[in-house]
Amino acid sequence: MGAGPNGLVAALTLARAGLVVDVYEAADQPGGGCRTAELTVPGFRHDVCSAVHPLLVASPAFADIDLLAHGVRILTPSVAFAHPLDGGRAVCVGHNVDDVADSLGEDGPAYARTFSPLARDVDKILPAFLGSMRSLPAHPLAAAGFGLRGLSSAQRFARRFSTEEGQALVAGTAAHSMLPLTAPLSGVFPRLFTSLAHRYGWPVVEGGSAAIVGALVAEITALGGHIETGRLVKRLDDLPSARAVVLDVTPRQLLEMAADTVPRRYGRALGRYHYGPGVCKVDWALSGPVPWSAEGCRQAVTVHVGGTFSEIARGEADVNAGRHPDHPYCLVTQPCVVDPTRAPAGGHTLWAYCHVPNGSDVDMTERIEAQIERFAPGFRDLILGRATCTAVDEEERNPSYVGGDINAGAATLRQMVFRPTVQWNPYRTALRGVYLCSAATPPGGGVHGMCGLGAARAALHDLGQHGAGSPAS
Ligand SMILES: Cc1cc2nc3c(=O)[nH]c(=O)nc-3n(C[C@H](O)[C@H](O)[C@H](O)COP(=O)(O)OP(=O)(O)OC[C@H]3O[C@@H](n4cnc5c(N)ncnc54)[C@H](O)[C@@H]3O)c2cc1C
């Protein structure tokens, strides 16, 4: 149930193992957080949610899905992400570690010392972080070293840099976590995302993220699977009986769907699951590219807008304390930098979101636009149309984004390891034959399909099909 990327990867894994698979999806289209639509002006195609896919290209769940055969073209920009600062400055991260180090002046040696080994070892580290968090990693030393260092906060990590550029780079990547930058574990995100940028780039999909879902749907239906859209499942008993039921929902939804059948202790554990801040997202149709003052930002699909480390830290602390920052950190994507098919000739699409307190209905459009205008004077003059989605709107569109939390649960230390509850196999529930496959299970948010793969493997194991569902089978 639920045709997000995780639900579809679960369905495909089960179908490949020879099971008959039916998928029920509440929305009119499959895809969940991986859809593309004309949200503003006809002819301008926007990624409704996910746009940038380093996790997809690195994920074992997609390793044996021939995306190209389904017409999915991955487009990788020369600059993975950029971070503008006042005075027309920016720090830009592309493929080469030394290039970034050279651009960082006195922070160059610290950058190279930090990221050369991480970029080299990222393939050893990733399986541990994209897995169930319960099994022994293939490269325990590399994974443990990475994990232990990542336990520290972004603030502590940033101390190894002395320039505004070096420290801002840490803040921009750490803030993806939605944690305060002083929180334990916030230091893991700059390490992981920057290494991914060096190893895989931060690519987009030509024409929009929906193409990924198109490929998954084509594979499932080719194996006889069936996907029914427009079917909101309110209670577990509404589903036809099945040997395995795999749910692309978060703990709160499972509780609502099965409150009377869930054992009390497990119900209490689900009830303790903690959701993080929400997001307020804006999509724009533009008459041209964003006029960033810093040239490097014009080459990047992702731009971290928010200024210095301390400005971003203040804004994220506000959000986590229940306040709406006046000058929010904004995550901006401009896919037309590499993909002109998103808009009519000369036009550009742009999206940005900022973090807001969970459940917020505040429209942050004005504050987000002011932040972009600060680093790209003249941006507002290019706007042909816009569409805003507040945190409560996010949940209305997709019940899995509780309070607008697009990561399906806070990335706290406890919930990174014991997601969604403290139990050996995180995908099994206390209900026999019922599994969770959403981003509320390990490894968490993002389009990587690993939660779906983990849940399908647990189901196949319980059905006696040991070994089925491995990426190679
Ligand atoms: C604005 C935004 C930007 C993002 N950017 C990125 C990005 O650039 N890169 C990236 O990797 N990730 C990004 N993400 C995160 C990513 O989209 C999610 O982590 C991912 O989609 C989670 O996949 P999922 O299958 O677990 O859940 P979802 O994609 O949320 O899918 C869940 C599906 O289940 C359906 N459903 C829920 N309840 C029911 C019910 N009761 N009955 C029937 N169907 C139901 C929903 O309608 C939905 O289709 C972004 C998310 C958002 C919102």
Side-chain angles (χ1 to χ4, degrees):
M1 194 206 80
N6 282 314
L8 292 174
V9 166
L12 177 58
T13 309
L14 296 170
R16 283 179 169 177
L19 274 75
V20 176
V21 177
D22 288 314
V23 182
Y24 302 99
E25 165 56 49
D28 293 338
Q29 290 170 339
C34 200
R35 287 172 298 128
T36 307
E38 289 184 353
L39 297 174
T40 54
V41 174
F44 288 77
R45 291 182 56 73
H46 305 269
D47 283 326
V48 180
C49 304
S50 63
V52 182
H53 295 291
L55 294 169
L56 172 101
V57 292
S59 172
F62 281 90
D64 66 344
I65 301 171
D66 189 351
L67 291 172
L68 196 57
H70 292 287
V72 181
R73 285 193 61 218
I74 304 284
L75 306 174
T76 307
S78 58
V79 178
F81 62 89
H83 191 125
L85 290 161
D86 289 329
R89 293 171 297 147
V91 51
C92 301
V93 174
H95 179 71
N96 196 306
V97 176
D98 292 337
D99 288 349
V100 185
D102 288 347
S103 75
L104 280 176
E106 65 186 84
D107 274 341
Y111 188 89
R113 254 194 328 274
T114 305
F115 287 108
S116 294
L118 284 176
R120 187 191 61 225
D121 289 345
V122 71
D123 287 330
K124 290 185 188 161
I125 296 159
L126 266 181
F129 286 88
L130 286 179
S132 68
M133 305 273 173
R134 307 291 196 277
S135 48
L136 193 66
H139 300 279
L141 286 181
F146 183 83
L148 287 175
R149 276 190 284 275
L151 285 178
S152 65
S153 69
Q155 187 177 56
R156 198 182 159 88
F157 182 45
R159 280 192 206 132
R160 65 178 65 194
F161 302 111
S162 55
T163 62
E164 271 196 347
E165 283 84 349
Q167 293 179 351
L169 186 146
V170 172
T173 40
H176 281 246
S177 68
M178 304 199 194
L179 294 168
L181 302 196
T182 48
L185 211 68
S186 56
V188 89
F189 292 85
R191 289 177 168 89
L192 185 63
F193 288 147
T194 309
S195 328
L196 282 171
H198 288 305
R199 173 72 180 86
Y200 293 101
W202 283 18
V204 295
V205 172
E206 187 178 56
S209 299
I212 301 164
V213 164
L216 290 171
V217 169
E219 294 253 337
I220 293 165
T221 48
L223 290 167
H226 177 247
I227 296 167
E228 186 179 326
T229 54
R231 169 101 180 251
L232 174 69
V233 180
K234 291 197 172 140
R235 295 182 47 82
L236 262 192
D237 329 344
D238 295 345
L239 290 167
S241 74
R243 294 168 70 200
V245 173
V246 185
L247 304 171
D248 196 351
V249 300
T250 74
R252 187 176 300 178
Q253 296 157 278
L254 174 59
L255 262 182
E256 284 164 9
M257 295 172 75
D260 37 0
T261 44
V262 164
R264 208 174 302 156
R265 196 155 156 232
Y266 183 64
R268 277 201 302 272
L270 290 178
R272 281 195 295 271
Y273 190 72
H274 177 56
Y275 293 88
V279 305
C280 176
K281 175 179 183 256
V282 188
D283 285 276
W284 294 271
L286 302 178
S287 59
V290 180
W292 300 104
S293 303
E295 175 59 33
C297 295
R298 301 179 187 195
Q299 321 295 323
V301 162
T302 303
V303 186
H304 296 147
V305 173
T308 62
F309 186 99
S310 54
E311 285 177 274
I312 294 176
R314 204 176 315 126
E316 295 302 286
D318 275 349
V319 171
N320 279 277
R323 298 185 292 268
H324 294 80
D326 289 335
H327 307 290
Y329 159 80
C330 307
L331 228 158
V332 181
T333 74
Q334 40 184 20
C336 291
V337 164
V338 284
D339 182 11
T341 72
R342 305 285 184 110
H348 270 233
T349 61
L350 187 80
W351 80 220
Y353 66 71
C354 72
H355 302 147
V356 290
N358 190 283
S360 159
D361 61 358
V362 173
D363 180 341
M364 297 289 282
T365 306
E366 181 55 39
R367 290 181 239 192
I368 294 175
E369 288 185 357
Q371 283 287 63
I372 299 176
E373 184 78 25
R374 169 179 165 196
F375 299 104
F379 157 68
R380 283 199 178 102
D381 300 338
L382 304 174
I383 298 174
L384 302 173
R386 66 166 74 74
T388 299
C389 187
T390 65
V392 286
D393 298 334
E394 288 285 359
E395 181 172 0
E396 208 158 286
R397 288 182 194 178
N398 181 345
S400 292
Y401 297 146
V402 176
D405 174 2
I406 63 172
N407 284 326
T412 57
L413 183 54
R414 178 189 163 90
Q415 290 197 168
M416 283 307 281
V417 183
F418 296 114
R419 204 173 170 89
T421 57
V422 182
Q423 63 188 68
W424 182 247
N425 186 305
Y427 310 104
R428 288 194 184 103
T429 70
L431 299 169
R432 200 178 161 78
V434 178
Y435 304 85
L436 281 178
C437 74
S438 73
T441 62
V447 176
H448 43 63
M450 290 303 287
C451 314
L453 183 63
R457 281 178 177 167
L460 290 170
H461 181 275
D462 294 349
L463 291 171
Q465 296 188 230
H466 302 271
S470 69
S473 70

